[in-house]
């Protein structure tokens, strides 16, 4: 098979890129190694920036989103048993939206299927070759049959465990990385949220985060050590710790209930720079990982796809190569802004050392956020999403 762009991975980055290319008449194939059910049911992100919602709406994916998303003005921070609401909407006129990543992925899959363009699930032995030429090749097999795709470009959208991030030869890219000695234990529970919007609790012993997926479903997280064994965390132990870290003098205690999903996510930061080698472009988690504090990962995947679709639009419409050459330098500043934001939030909200001096520093930062209008202006700029580096379509 021959096509213009071969996209590896059907997560938010790959599927949104495929859609934005299709809208510009650019032909692609999306190759995913998991099943459709697996991809649609994977529990992950939940918070969309205003700019991401604007993009999804612009590209025709706003119907279910606007009908079902919870629209938030900001979030709560709790520390020293007191709860503070940061009304960032009041400062910027913008919002964040609670809409599960699985819903975003479902909408994108439906949109792809409606185009009739190729979307392959359960592909095995996905391999990419020839990225240092202008005719790269992707091979994969389904049901023991092997297929070959000859493309102009390969979009590596296969996440943090995929193959694409390893393809550039040593020395061609730099890998910046930082890992934290901790993880988030995440649950989904059939309980009502304790606050109307998400709440970060900065307890001296570590973060608890109380988010939601609907009026009767909560998504909550606990900071735990990196070597945590999930089997050692019974429902009772999880609720006890969530309750302890979120105790306050101004709100009733959390509601407890049935936990129907649990997982562990390690905290780390990584950026591969440049995000391109030859005819291979890296997008989303394949190019960069941010710690989940601040909810930036999915939003960055969408902004990378927007930048690359714009560059490919320019190339196929008028033969321009300059946007493609600048893909990485265009996308990276927004990536580093998100890294800086997530790192700052992570430091203030987690227990990163047991030196009491460090808790005093955290408290000083938290007090700035809840009392300073200037700090809240700055917070709202980044939390609701810095502008995308390019429009989604080519003007
Ligand atoms: P994905 O979603 O990982 O998709 C990659 C896809 O590639 C497939 N794949 C392959 N396909 C073919 N061949 C191979 N060899 C392949 N190897 C892998 C995979 O099966 C998969 O379908 O990456 P993408 O598209 O870059 O999207 C990134 C986001 O998923 C990620 O950044 C977010 O989930 C991060 N994140 C959050 N982001 C937000 O914007 N808001 C949030 O509220 C938020 N909360 C979170 C998060 C991530 C978390 N975890 C689990 C780390 C909360 C948590 C706990
Ligand atoms: C979520 O709802 O999953 C969520 C909320 C806030 C974060 C990260 C994840 O910072």
């Amino acid at each position: 098979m021959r096509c213009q762009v071969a996209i590896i991975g059907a997560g938010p980055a790959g599927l949104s890129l495929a859609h934005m290319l299709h809208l510009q008449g650019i032909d692609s194939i999306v190759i995913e190694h998991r099943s459709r059910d697996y991809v649609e049911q994977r529990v992950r992100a939940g918070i969309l920036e205003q700019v991401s919602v604007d993009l999804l709406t612009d590209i025709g994916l706003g119907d279910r989103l606007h009908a079902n998303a919870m629209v938030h003005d900001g979030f709560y921070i709790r520390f020293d048993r007191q709860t503070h609401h940061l009304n960032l909407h009041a400062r910027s006129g913008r919002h964040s939206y609670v809409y599960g990543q699985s819903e975003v992925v479902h909408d994108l899959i439906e949109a792809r299927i409606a185009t009739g363009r190729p979307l392959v699930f359960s592909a095995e032995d996905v391999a990419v070759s020839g990225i240092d030429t202008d005719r790269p090749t992707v091979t994969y097999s389904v049901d023991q049959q092997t297929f070959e795709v000859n493309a102009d470009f390969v979009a590596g959208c296969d996440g943090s465990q995929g193959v694409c991030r390893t393809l550039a030869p040593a020395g061609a890219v730099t890998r910046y990385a930082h890992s934290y000695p901790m993880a988030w234990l995440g649950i989904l529970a059939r309980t009502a949220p304790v606050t109307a919007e998400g709440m970060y609790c900065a307890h001296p012993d570590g973060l608890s985060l109380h988010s939601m997926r609907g009026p009767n479903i909560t998504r909550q997280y606990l900071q735990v050590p990196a070597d945590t064994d999930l089997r050692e965390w019974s429902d009772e132990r999880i609720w006890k710790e969530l309750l302890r870290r979120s105790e306050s003098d101004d709100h009733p205690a959390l509601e407890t209930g049935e936990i129907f999903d649990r997982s562990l996510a390690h905290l780390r930061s990584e950026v591969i720079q440049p995000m391109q080698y030859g005819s291979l472009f890296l997008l989303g988690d394949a190019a960069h990982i941010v710690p989940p504090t601040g909810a930036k990962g999915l939003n960055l995947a969408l902004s990378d796809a927007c930048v690359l679709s714009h560059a490919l639009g320019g190339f196929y419409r008028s033969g321009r190569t300059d946007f493609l050459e600048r893909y990485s330098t265009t996308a990276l500043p927004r990536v580093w802004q998100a890294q800086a934001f997530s790192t700052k939030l992570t430091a203030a909200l987690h227990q990163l050392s047991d030196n009491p001096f460090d808790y005093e520093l955290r408290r000083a930062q938290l007090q700035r956020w809840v009392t300073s209008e200037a700090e809240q202006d700055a917070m709202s700029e980044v939390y609701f999403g810095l502008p995308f580096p390019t429009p989604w379509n080519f003007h």
Side-chain angles (χ1 to χ4, degrees):
M1 174 186 172
R2 159 99 204 99
C3 78
Q4 290 168 311
V5 186
I7 299 173
I8 319 292
L15 290 165
S16 64
L17 176 67
H19 190 65
M20 285 186 267
L21 294 180
H22 174 74
L23 292 175
Q24 298 177 87
I26 301 168
D27 185 28
S28 67
I29 178 170
V30 183
I31 303 163
E32 163 63 49
H33 80 157
R34 299 283 193 172
S35 67
R36 176 175 179 179
D37 276 356
Y38 183 94
V39 168
E40 283 190 338
Q41 279 161 26
R42 195 162 34 195
V43 178
R44 282 202 176 165
I47 312 289
L48 290 174
E49 297 169 344
Q50 179 75 59
V51 283
S52 297
V53 169
D54 292 346
L55 170 77
L56 291 168
T57 308
D58 258 17
I59 63 176
L61 289 161
D63 290 356
R64 272 186 80 242
L65 195 166
H66 288 287
N68 296 300
M70 301 170 89
V71 183
H72 284 181
D73 291 342
F75 56 87
Y76 291 83
I77 295 183
R78 182 175 287 175
F79 62 103
D80 296 343
R81 304 180 65 91
Q82 303 298 315
T83 313
H84 308 264
H85 184 233
L86 266 60
N87 189 333
L88 305 177
H89 171 73
R91 320 203 61 79
S92 62
R94 304 198 292 163
H95 288 108
S96 59
Y97 296 73
V98 180
Y99 193 60
Q101 181 166 328
S102 45
E103 304 300 323
V104 176
V105 166
H106 172 80
D107 294 347
L108 285 163
I109 290 175
E110 289 289 312
R112 178 67 179 181
I113 289 171
T115 67
R117 305 305 306 154
L119 167 56
V120 180
F121 287 106
S122 307
E124 289 171 33
D125 305 320
V126 179
V128 181
S129 58
I131 55 167
D132 44 5
T133 71
D134 58 6
R135 200 38 54 95
T137 301
V138 180
T139 54
Y140 63 93
S141 47
V142 176
D143 296 336
Q144 324 277 332
Q145 217 189 323
T146 301
F147 299 86
E148 183 174 296
V149 180
N150 297 300
D152 299 333
F153 302 102
V154 176
C157 304
D158 50 351
S160 59
Q161 312 290 328
V163 289
C164 292
R165 65 203 329 266
T166 63
L167 293 177
V173 293
T174 307
R175 208 173 283 270
Y176 297 91
H178 176 77
S179 66
Y180 295 86
M182 60 197 191
W184 278 15
L185 190 171
I187 61 158
L188 280 172
R190 276 184 234 292
T191 55
V194 71
T195 43
E197 301 183 345
M199 173 171 66
Y200 296 95
C201 298
H203 191 275
D205 295 344
L207 168 101
S208 68
L209 164 55
H210 308 269
S211 185
M212 61 201 71
R213 292 292 180 269
N216 293 306
I217 299 201
T218 55
R219 174 77 167 142
Q220 307 189 51
Y221 300 96
L222 276 175
Q223 172 189 347
V224 292
D227 58 2
T228 292
D229 182 348
L230 264 186
R231 288 168 304 187
E232 288 170 7
W233 283 82
S234 62
D235 289 12
E236 194 191 355
R237 183 174 175 198
I238 292 173
W239 284 122
K240 199 170 157 207
E241 197 56 18
L242 286 168
L243 281 161
R244 190 174 78 81
R245 293 195 198 170
S246 63
E247 272 178 356
S248 81
D249 296 328
D250 52 20
H251 274 69
L254 290 181
E255 198 181 282
T256 62
E258 182 204 346
I259 295 177
F260 62 96
D261 187 274
R262 67 177 67 198
S263 59
L264 205 60
H266 290 95
L267 263 64
R268 63 196 179 94
S269 296
E270 190 170 334
V271 180
I272 295 176
Q273 203 164 303
M275 293 162 55
Q276 183 212 351
Y277 174 77
S279 45
L280 170 73
F281 293 85
L282 296 178
L283 293 84
D285 279 14
H288 40 71
I289 313 288
V290 289
T293 337
K296 291 292 170 211
L298 160 62
N299 296 286
L300 283 181
L302 297 176
S303 78
D304 289 350
C306 183
V307 174
L308 187 60
S309 81
H310 175 264
L312 288 167
F315 176 76
Y316 284 112
R317 238 184 315 265
S318 46
R320 289 183 71 154
T321 55
D322 53 335
F323 289 125
L324 282 175
E325 284 153 13
R326 289 203 301 267
Y327 165 67
S328 190
T329 51
T330 306
L332 276 168
R334 195 174 192 278
V335 171
W336 281 110
Q337 288 298 330
Q339 286 289 8
F341 179 75
S342 307
T343 302
K344 190 170 170 180
L345 232 56
T346 299
L349 294 168
H350 293 75
Q351 187 213 33
L352 295 173
S353 89
D354 49 19
N355 183 344
F357 176 82
D358 293 326
Y359 184 69
E360 296 304 320
L361 284 183
R362 290 171 56 196
R363 174 188 279 138
Q365 174 65 77
L366 296 166
Q367 270 162 351
R368 296 294 300 152
W369 280 335
V370 302
T371 56
S372 157
E373 296 198 351
E375 287 274 348
Q376 288 177 21
D377 280 337
M379 172 77 83
S380 86
E381 249 188 331
V382 190
Y383 187 72
F384 292 142
L386 289 170
F388 282 2
T390 60
W392 81 263
N393 58 350
F394 184 74
H395 293 294

